[in-house]
Amino acid sequence: MNLPEGKDKFLQSWGAFGSSWGVNRTMAQIHALLMIAPQALSADDIMEELKISRGNANMNLRALIDWGLVFKELKAGERKEFFVAEKDMWKVVKNIIIQRKKKELEPMLKVLDELSSVEGTDPEAEEFVRMIKEIKLFSSKADSTLDTLVKADSNWFVGTFMKMIK
Amino acid sequence: MNLPEGKDKFLQSWGAFGSSWGVNRTMAQIHALLMIAPQALSADDIMEELKISRGNANMNLRALIDWGLVFKELKAGERKEFFVAEKDMWKVVKNIIIQRKKKELEPMLKVLDELSSVEGTDPEAEEFVRMIKEIKLFSSKADSTLDTLVKADSNWFVGTFMKMIK
DNA sequence: ATGTACTTTCAGGAAATTTTGAAACTATTG
DNA sequence: CAATAGTTTCAAAATTTCCTGAAAGTACAT
């Protein structure tokens, strides 16, 4: 396979992958494009390669920066901004975990906590509280496991984790 | 908080949670409803509680059954079908991992494999192949870690895993 | 302080996803 | 086998999400 074909296939696949996990398809594609780029790209480069508007490029680049997956790079003598992706996969995944944990898992834990105090003695209320508590227990464990995972160092997952769980 | 309020809040939250992870909001809500139900519910029960059409209820119930998160239950003397949810959270998560690994992670691995044979000696092709290989390495590790996780028994995650990674 | 080169914002339009509901289908009953 | 009770399918409608592009904003250079 040659480069243009391969590149296109990667952009499509990474976009579809992101999309199926609730990440905007274009955001994932910009991320893909920057990950495989040998140097920093400008907004115009990205707009051209992905055939998207300036507004779209800008909004998704900001989001990627928020997630810690992309960095702004200023070139001496150039007024425009360039962008580079984080290329260490462990850092990429770690940042994604941090963000999604904060935005999705933690709010859910808070809700589960409130719900475990629902009153009632009928079977429906009892089963409700029982199940909420089961979900909360599991979610808390997942939450602290992710905390531990995120605190571990770069090489830990790739090296040690595999052996430990064998 | 009383039961109707709590129930509603749970259905909304679980729906939003699923939605942010790329799962159809209604599918997540049906799942939530069945998880907290003390007995099996019929399609009509679900349609009424969630105010959704028969077609919608039916399609999402089939999907939940495919995922191994809901089971059909036939009551003696009743012609209609009833549905119960898997209530063991470890089994729920395990089944979700199995499905998403198969439908999303594995196809991605296959693509990465094809892409690592892209030809070229220019910096762009070299960086492309280098990065694809880095992503593939990481993804393969994640894939086998999930395999191991899924083979582990019900109580393992909740009990042992936490201590091991400390 | 005016011009230039960019970045940001966001209302409205486009596209993708989800939902509906009615017709077709299936299985059971009398 | 006709009627009944339920399930499934899917084209069209409704909704949600995403994208565009032009106007406003920012900052640097002259």
Side-chain angles (χ1 to χ4, degrees):
Chain A
M1 198 184 291
N2 61 29
L3 183 60
E5 274 171 11
K7 203 165 157 180
D8 188 64
K9 188 160 195 175
F10 181 59
L11 297 180
Q12 293 312 117
S13 303
W14 201 253
F17 188 70
S19 186
S20 72
W21 286 88
V23 173
N24 179 296
R25 174 177 251 102
T26 303
M27 177 168 158
Q29 286 183 335
I30 295 177
H31 182 223
L33 183 60
L34 289 171
M35 281 198 298
I36 58 169
Q39 351 72 2
L41 302 180
S42 68
D44 292 272
D45 295 335
I46 294 166
M47 286 162 63
E48 196 188 328
E49 290 250 26
L50 297 172
K51 278 140 183 81
I52 58 172
S53 71
R54 185 171 304 281
N56 196 3
N58 185 271
M59 285 190 308
N60 285 117
L61 278 166
R62 300 304 128 192
L64 284 164
I65 291 170
D66 278 354
W67 282 43
L69 302 179
V70 165
F71 311 103
K72 206 180 282 195
E73 200 175 273
L74 297 171
K75 290 195 184 177
E78 291 251 31
R79 220 191 262 194
K80 73 175 133 191
E81 295 174 333
F82 288 79
F83 302 92
V84 253
E86 171 59 62
K87 296 203 174 195
D88 177 329
M89 280 308 282
W90 171 244
K91 287 190 189 162
V92 168
V93 170
K94 195 157 101 172
N95 286 343
I96 294 171
I97 292 173
I98 291 169
Q99 293 296 323
R100 303 203 74 159
K101 188 168 115 60
K102 185 163 66 193
K103 294 209 185 81
E104 291 141 22
L105 186 54
E106 284 165 15
M108 187 79 232
L109 281 173
K110 196 165 153 286
V111 168
L112 289 170
D113 215 37
E114 291 163 33
L115 293 178
S116 56
S117 69
V118 157
E119 309 280 353
T121 50
D122 52 308
E124 209 189 338
E126 272 175 14
E127 177 62 2
F128 179 84
V129 173
R130 191 195 68 72
M131 197 63 209
I132 292 294
K133 283 182 178 161
E134 157 126 14
I135 298 171
K136 194 175 71 175
L137 179 64
F138 191 89
S139 309
S140 308
K141 300 271 181 181
D143 189 59
S144 25
T145 302
L146 290 175
D147 273 340
T148 311
L149 207 59
V150 154
K151 278 178 202 135
D153 81 85
S154 280
N155 294 315
W156 182 83
F157 173 75
V158 172
T160 323
F161 184 49
M162 284 297 302
K163 290 168 203 156
M164 288 182 96
I165 67 163
K166 261 184 189 155
Chain B
M1 198 185 290
N2 61 28
L3 184 60
E5 275 171 8
K7 203 165 159 180
D8 188 66
K9 188 161 196 175
F10 180 59
L11 297 179
Q12 294 312 119
S13 304
W14 200 253
F17 188 69
S19 187
S20 71
W21 285 88
V23 173
N24 180 296
R25 176 178 249 101
T26 304
M27 177 168 159
Q29 285 183 336
I30 295 176
H31 182 222
L33 183 61
L34 288 171
M35 281 199 298
I36 59 169
Q39 352 72 3
L41 302 181
S42 67
D44 292 272
D45 295 335
I46 294 166
M47 288 162 62
E48 196 189 328
E49 290 250 26
L50 269 54
K51 276 138 185 83
I52 58 173
S53 71
R54 184 171 304 282
N56 197 3
N58 185 272
M59 287 190 307
N60 285 117
L61 278 166
R62 299 304 130 191
L64 284 164
I65 290 170
D66 278 354
W67 282 43
L69 302 180
V70 165
F71 310 103
K72 206 181 281 195
E73 200 175 272
L74 298 170
K75 290 195 184 176
E78 290 252 30
R79 223 192 261 194
K80 74 174 131 193
E81 295 174 333
F82 288 79
F83 303 91
V84 252
E86 171 59 63
K87 296 202 174 194
D88 176 331
M89 280 308 280
W90 171 244
K91 289 189 187 163
V92 168
V93 170
K94 196 157 99 174
N95 287 342
I96 294 171
I97 292 173
I98 291 168
Q99 294 295 322
R100 302 204 75 160
K101 187 168 116 59
K102 184 164 65 194
K103 295 209 184 82
E104 291 140 21
L105 186 52
E106 284 163 15
M108 188 76 232
L109 281 173
K110 195 163 154 286
V111 168
L112 290 170
D113 216 36
E114 292 162 31
L115 294 178
S116 55
S117 69
V118 158
E119 308 282 353
T121 50
D122 52 309
E124 208 189 338
E126 273 175 14
E127 176 63 1
F128 179 83
V129 173
R130 192 196 67 72
M131 197 62 208
I132 293 294
K133 283 182 179 164
E134 157 125 14
I135 298 170
K136 195 175 71 173
L137 178 65
F138 191 89
S139 308
S140 307
K141 300 270 182 186
D143 189 59
S144 28
T145 302
L146 290 174
D147 272 340
T148 311
L149 206 59
V150 154
K151 278 176 201 136
D153 81 85
S154 281
N155 295 313
W156 184 82
F157 174 75
V158 172
T160 323
F161 184 50
M162 284 298 300
K163 290 169 203 156
M164 289 183 94
I165 67 164
K166 261 186 186 152

